[in-house]
């Protein structure tokens, strides 16, 4: 998505070897007009996949997920993060390790909001090592639902998440794919559609 | 907002004396089509107030705030919650006490995303005792920005938040105003516009 790549070049800040800060339009301050366009991009890509539900993780995934859900006119569910979790019968739970923060979070979704009939589109702001996507996919499996696809705003293609998803044969569409950070500059993969 | 009141009657669950669970369309599962209509309601009400920024608190405020920001075509900033906070020069911070959870949270906003030129519309999912609104207002004051209005999805009018805001003379618009819970049923205030 050309407009997103331009925005990353303009407003993103590269920190160290593998961190991109985009809190001016995605993670803390949000540009809702851009989110709306992203929602449309995801819709155009997955519109024939029979999506019945959009799934994400709080908090940064919520804005792009809700805009995507609006285009599909399907419910959006956001998994809640917890430091620790007491097992409850009415929750699906999974563990998500954050390499950036070096901590494990638990995520949970109320069982009543995910059923075996659901065809789920996962939407998230970043894909790095694929931990959040894995956690959500575990929950989808527990519910007996099916994962129809994954939509990512910014993919760091040099980390292992993308490879794992491709290997599992899951359809994935990332709006911006970062090949590398080169001296504080962002190098994108060539656009393929 | 008639449609919201009907949805609360249909899908809301009253717990005890003062808790309304709406996690089927607002707090956990989100109905994005309803959020879009809410954004439009807030826009219609505040469209002549010169709003430059929408402010909310993660996570449940994000969906209605982003839809509202989309109508105004202005940035949305969500305050982050922390259990504790180490003072940082680049953050505005404030304390928010939750009567429901009986814990104090800190909320923070990066200084660069709020300036003295901003006319802010606060959007939040619930208004009860007004703690979150107070916390955000403290941050707005610290930034030298001005608070142009408050938009609330569901107001529990029998708790003290509404009264405090009216007393302070701040324009407020709530899409659903709950007068009381009567035997597990929701009693709404009469609509005034």
């Amino acid at each position: 998505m050309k407009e997103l790549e331009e925005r990353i070049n303009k407003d993103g800040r590269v920190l160290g070897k593998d961190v991109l800060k985009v809190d001016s339009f995605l993670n803390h301050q949000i540009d809702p007009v851009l989110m709306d366009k992203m929602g449309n991009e995801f819709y155009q890509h997955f519109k024939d996949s029979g999506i019945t539900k959009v799934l994400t993780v709080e908090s940064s995934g919520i804005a792009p997920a809700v805009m995507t859900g609006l285009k599909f006119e399907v419910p959006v569910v956001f998994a809640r993060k917890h430091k620790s979790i007491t097992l409850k019968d009415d929750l699906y739970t999974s563990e998500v390790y954050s390499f950036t923060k070096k901590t494990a979070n638990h995520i949970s979704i109320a069982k009543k909001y995910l059923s075996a009939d659901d065809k789920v589109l996962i939407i998230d702001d970043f894909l790095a090592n694929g931990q959040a996507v894995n956690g959500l996919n575990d929950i989808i499996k527990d519910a007996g639902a099916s994962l129809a696809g994954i939509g990512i705003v910014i993919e760091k293609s040099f980390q292992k998440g993308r490879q794992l998803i491709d290997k599992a044969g899951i359809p994935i569409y990332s709006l911006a794919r970062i090949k590398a950070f080169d001296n504080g500059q962002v190098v994108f993969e060539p656009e393929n559609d």
Side-chain angles (χ1 to χ4, degrees), chain A:
Chain A
M1 186 182 175
K2 209 68 207 163
E3 184 178 346
L4 176 61
E5 292 185 1
E6 287 167 3
R7 188 64 173 271
I8 292 168
N9 279 331
K10 183 170 157 275
D11 292 332
R13 286 176 302 131
V14 178
L15 300 181
K17 274 191 294 189
D18 56 9
V19 174
L20 174 69
K21 291 275 278 184
V22 286
D23 58 2
S24 65
F25 62 92
L26 182 61
N27 292 135
H28 181 28
Q29 180 167 260
I30 298 168
D31 178 343
V33 177
L34 182 62
M35 295 300 130
D36 186 53
K37 290 175 183 168
M38 288 175 181
N40 206 42
E41 285 278 322
F42 288 130
Y43 175 71
Q44 290 304 325
H45 190 87
F46 289 108
K47 66 178 187 294
D48 300 321
S49 305
I51 306 299
T52 64
K53 197 152 281 187
V54 172
L55 210 62
T56 191
V57 181
E58 66 178 349
S59 289
S60 307
I62 295 176
V66 168
M67 288 301 178
T68 305
L70 180 63
K71 309 301 170 184
F72 280 97
E73 298 189 6
V74 301
V76 175
V77 180
F78 65 89
R80 293 195 172 273
K81 282 180 196 164
H82 315 260
K83 277 288 161 223
S84 62
I85 206 159
T86 42
L87 286 178
K88 282 187 185 169
D89 283 348
D90 56 351
L91 295 179
Y92 296 117
T93 64
S94 179
E95 194 176 288
V96 173
Y97 183 77
S98 164
F99 286 89
T100 320
K101 296 179 184 163
K102 295 186 177 56
T103 54
N105 271 301
H106 292 81
I107 58 171
S108 74
I109 284 178
K111 286 187 178 175
K112 59 183 160 185
Y113 300 130
L114 201 57
S115 81
D117 300 327
D118 277 319
K119 293 194 75 172
V120 178
L121 175 61
I122 291 177
I123 296 287
D124 210 0
D125 57 336
F126 268 97
L127 176 68
N129 291 294
Q131 295 291 307
V133 164
N134 273 347
L136 289 173
N137 199 14
D138 286 345
I139 285 175
I140 290 167
K141 282 179 195 161
D142 283 351
S146 59
L147 176 56
I150 299 171
I152 298 292
V153 178
I154 301 174
E155 172 191 311
K156 294 190 281 185
S157 313
F158 55 89
Q159 288 179 293
K160 67 177 183 190
R162 173 65 186 237
Q163 206 181 330
L164 290 174
I165 292 165
D166 282 341
K167 212 167 161 184
I170 303 164
I172 171 168
Y173 179 51
S174 301
L175 301 184
R177 301 188 63 199
I178 297 174
K179 190 175 177 175
F181 296 127
D182 182 13
N183 257 327
Q185 295 296 304
V186 179
V187 183
F188 293 102
E189 301 270 0
E191 288 210 52
N192 50 10
D193 56 347

